[in-house]
Amino acid sequence: MTARLDVHAQARGTALRRLPSVDDVLKADAAIVAIDRFGRSATVAAVRAMLDEKRAALRTGGGAREADVSSARVAEAAFVRLIAEARPTVRPVLNLTGVVLHTNLGRAVLAEAAIEAAVTAMRQTIALEFELSTGKRGERDTLVRDLLCELTGAEDATVVNNNAAAVLLVLNTLAKGREAIVSRGELIEIGGAFRMPDIMARAGAKLVEVGTTNRTHPKDYAAALSERTGLVLKVHTSNYRIEGFTAAVPARDLVALTREKTVPVVDDLGSGTLIDLSRFGLAHEPTVAEAVAAGADLVTFSGDKLLGGPQAGFIVGRRDLIRKINRNPMKRALRVDKIRLAAIEATLRLYRDPDRLADKLPTLRHLARPQADILAQAQRLAPALAAALGETFDVTAAACNSQIGSGALPQETLPSAALVARPRTERGAGRALERLAQVLRDLPVPVIGRIADGALVLDLRCLDDEVGFLDALGSLAGGADALA
Ligand SMILES: *Cc1c(COP(=O)(O)O)cnc(C)c1O
């Protein structure tokens, strides 16, 4: 026993002594290729890191095989490491979660027209705050203001970083040091740290809650209105619904109530949509134009929810109020850059032709995709997935339900279809599923599904790139052994 340990220790000692120097490794073929591709300093750093790892492994008794420490081997290992490090962190994933507007996966996928406009704005100088007609300084909002007014019927419009910023800016402009009245049933948390009471506090507004969780009446608002009131805020409860014995005051009635007091009514629509989605077979979600027509003095909504554009927050409504908002120094801190403005303009322009919107706007195309179409795709792809996953899983094409996501129409599900991978044996099924989900996430183009009812569900509603998916499955074939 002791003799054998000695033999190991000796081999380790020899291996440690035989570890090549950094300079030796840099002369190996793989290192020369690496220097050409990644530069000298990155290659030297990778070689050092590899040597450090080998040394540490040898000291703790692992990896004592002598072949591991040749210059060629160390250079190859460093090269592999450099390739892995060069892979961008921001890279495409296949969203097969069944949530179309997935906040954690970047929400809306942009239309080609928006992508082209953004690329132009990146590559070239544009008249961002410059009036071509007069040669004078202009305002960046003018790039999209007319379109926003045309599509919403509002008098004026402005754009900021996202809808959270829009709400913050409106509150800070109109209710700083004053009171903002909100129904208790509408004090929402959107997710992350966006809670209405916190935003109010940060905006310097004093929150005045009226009504109860389930019922708020016009008289509750009327009793709270005073000379201290800065605004009345109506919040679209986009990500939940209170059912049963309920009452809320529509914006239209709030407007009637506050008119003589000249207190502005602000309607935070959240998702907001520019067209009636029922024409695409979806439930009716209030449109921005309806909110404007109902008399709200300001309406706020997101750019990357149902609208299908880049992250942005829109504020549309009364010209005098928009002017005040634009004069708030916070506006400067919350403004959007030229790339996004370009993408916003191109996205909004698509709405001038609603008949062809579903062809051109990926969000709408995904939302409107018929179940039969998705099911046919699932049936087409099931054999390839079955082959890639081997003996451990049964793969079927089955009906499922997708969600819109981002808190829009929370109770609405869309009939969809999925590839469903179910472990063949019950024992260890949970772990097998977790492992499968991990293997799919580790693919060069990660595939993100969801685990539900003892199976991995890959909802194909948002799968545009079928070839890319098949390629991904091809690279899985090797990894499938790990699943067994
Ligand atoms: C989503 C949402 C927000 C926040 O919008 P972002 O664009 O995500 O910042 C605010 N209010 C409501 C009602 C929402 O639904």
Side-chain angles (χ1 to χ4, degrees):
M1 190 66 193
T2 331
R4 255 184 54 210
L5 272 177
D6 281 351
V7 171
H8 276 287
Q10 248 171 20
R12 266 208 309 275
T14 316
L16 269 172
R17 273 191 304 280
R18 289 182 45 162
L19 265 184
S21 69
V22 173
D23 282 341
D24 282 343
V25 178
L26 289 175
K27 285 180 199 134
D29 288 346
I32 291 162
V33 179
I35 289 170
D36 185 49
R37 204 154 132 195
F38 300 109
R40 190 174 172 83
S41 55
T43 306
V44 170
V47 167
R48 283 226 169 88
M50 284 323 302
L51 286 172
D52 286 349
E53 271 176 27
K54 294 262 182 247
R55 199 170 292 120
L58 286 169
R59 290 225 169 93
T60 54
R65 290 204 321 278
E66 287 199 24
D68 275 349
V69 298
S70 71
S71 293
R73 274 301 177 88
V74 175
E76 279 159 23
F79 189 36
V80 168
R81 182 193 192 96
L82 283 165
I83 290 170
E85 284 173 0
R87 210 167 53 180
T89 315
V90 176
R91 62 198 162 107
V93 305
L94 292 180
N95 171 15
L96 305 188
T97 59
V99 180
V100 178
L101 293 164
H102 201 302
T103 298
N104 306 134
L105 300 179
R107 290 194 186 160
V109 173
L110 297 200
E112 277 309 317
I115 295 163
E116 277 169 31
V119 168
T120 302
M122 281 191 271
R123 194 168 278 143
Q124 270 143 343
T125 21
I126 60 164
L128 181 63
E129 294 180 352
F130 184 81
E131 273 182 18
L132 288 170
S133 56
T134 60
K136 295 208 174 100
R137 187 179 190 284
E139 271 180 60
R140 63 178 64 206
D141 282 354
T142 41
L143 295 176
V144 295
R145 179 187 295 137
D146 288 351
L147 268 169
L148 279 169
C149 292
E150 174 191 320
L151 295 167
T152 64
E155 233 173 48
D156 204 350
T158 189
V159 195
V160 285
N161 179 56
N162 57 14
N163 191 35
V167 174
L168 175 70
L169 185 60
V170 167
L171 286 167
N172 181 263
T173 307
L174 304 182
K176 181 164 177 275
R178 299 170 70 81
E179 293 177 354
I181 301 176
V182 192
S183 160
R184 282 208 166 83
E186 297 173 8
L187 280 173
I188 55 166
E189 173 180 309
I190 297 296
F194 189 87
R195 290 178 146 190
M196 207 41 99
D198 299 338
I199 294 290
M200 292 250 178
R202 294 286 170 153
K206 183 168 182 295
L207 169 64
V208 176
E209 300 173 39
V210 297
T212 59
T213 305
N214 58 329
R215 287 172 74 81
T216 302
H217 307 283
K219 63 174 193 283
D220 298 322
Y221 287 97
L225 281 167
S226 75
E227 67 284 355
R228 294 181 303 276
T229 310
L231 59 81
V232 175
L233 181 65
K234 174 93 193 147
V235 187
H236 184 51
T237 52
S238 41
N239 56 1
Y240 73 101
R241 195 139 300 167
I242 298 174
E243 286 187 38
F245 186 54
T246 65
V249 184
R252 188 181 295 280
D253 299 349
L254 285 180
V255 170
L257 206 73
T258 56
R259 181 119 303 157
E260 63 191 59
K261 300 229 156 69
T262 64
V263 169
V265 172
V266 177
D267 195 349
D268 175 22
L269 274 188
S271 189
T273 155
L274 294 174
I275 48 162
D276 184 1
L277 292 175
S278 57
R279 65 186 282 169
F280 301 99
L282 301 168
H284 181 81
E285 173 87 356
T287 69
V288 181
E290 284 164 6
V292 170
D297 298 282
L298 291 174
V299 180
T300 63
F301 57 103
S302 282
D304 56 352
K305 291 186 180 173
L306 285 173
L307 201 144
Q311 180 186 300
F314 300 108
I315 309 170
V316 303
R318 257 168 58 190
R319 180 162 296 134
D320 59 324
L321 300 180
I322 296 286
R323 193 171 300 142
K324 257 178 130 170
I325 285 167
N326 281 330
R327 285 207 207 106
N328 185 334
M330 271 172 94
K331 167 74 197 305
R332 173 67 175 73
L334 300 172
R335 75 183 186 187
V336 294
D337 68 295
K338 61 172 183 170
I339 304 166
R340 270 199 283 161
L341 271 174
I344 291 166
E345 184 196 358
T347 306
L348 291 175
R349 226 169 257 293
L350 296 177
Y351 279 89
R352 299 182 95 182
D353 182 8
D355 295 337
R356 263 175 290 193
L357 200 56
D359 296 334
K360 299 195 168 155
L361 202 63
T363 298
L364 209 53
R365 185 172 70 236
H366 291 150
L367 290 175
R369 230 184 127 190
Q371 184 179 34
D373 183 35
I374 309 169
L375 188 59
Q377 189 181 35
Q379 281 157 350
R380 207 158 54 232
L381 293 172
L385 183 64
L389 298 191
E391 295 300 304
T392 324
F393 295 92
D394 265 327
V395 175
T396 52
C400 70
N401 286 308
S402 320
Q403 283 176 291
I404 294 173
S406 287
L409 301 167
Q411 306 207 305
E412 171 101 338
T413 57
L414 310 167
S416 186
L419 292 167
V420 179
R422 197 175 292 281
R424 290 226 166 113
T425 52
E426 295 237 336
R427 254 191 87 226
R431 240 177 316 124
L433 282 174
E434 293 293 344
R435 210 154 50 220
L436 174 58
Q438 180 66 58
V439 165
L440 292 175
R441 286 198 302 273
D442 287 341
L443 288 171
V445 177
V447 173
I448 321 283
R450 66 171 193 268
I451 293 174
D453 304 327
L456 185 81
V457 180
L458 303 177
D459 185 326
L460 300 186
R461 173 171 294 280
C462 299
L463 181 63
D464 290 324
D465 184 8
E466 205 169 303
V467 175
F469 181 66
L470 286 169
D471 279 353
L473 293 185
S475 55
L476 188 74
D481 299 341
L483 298 170

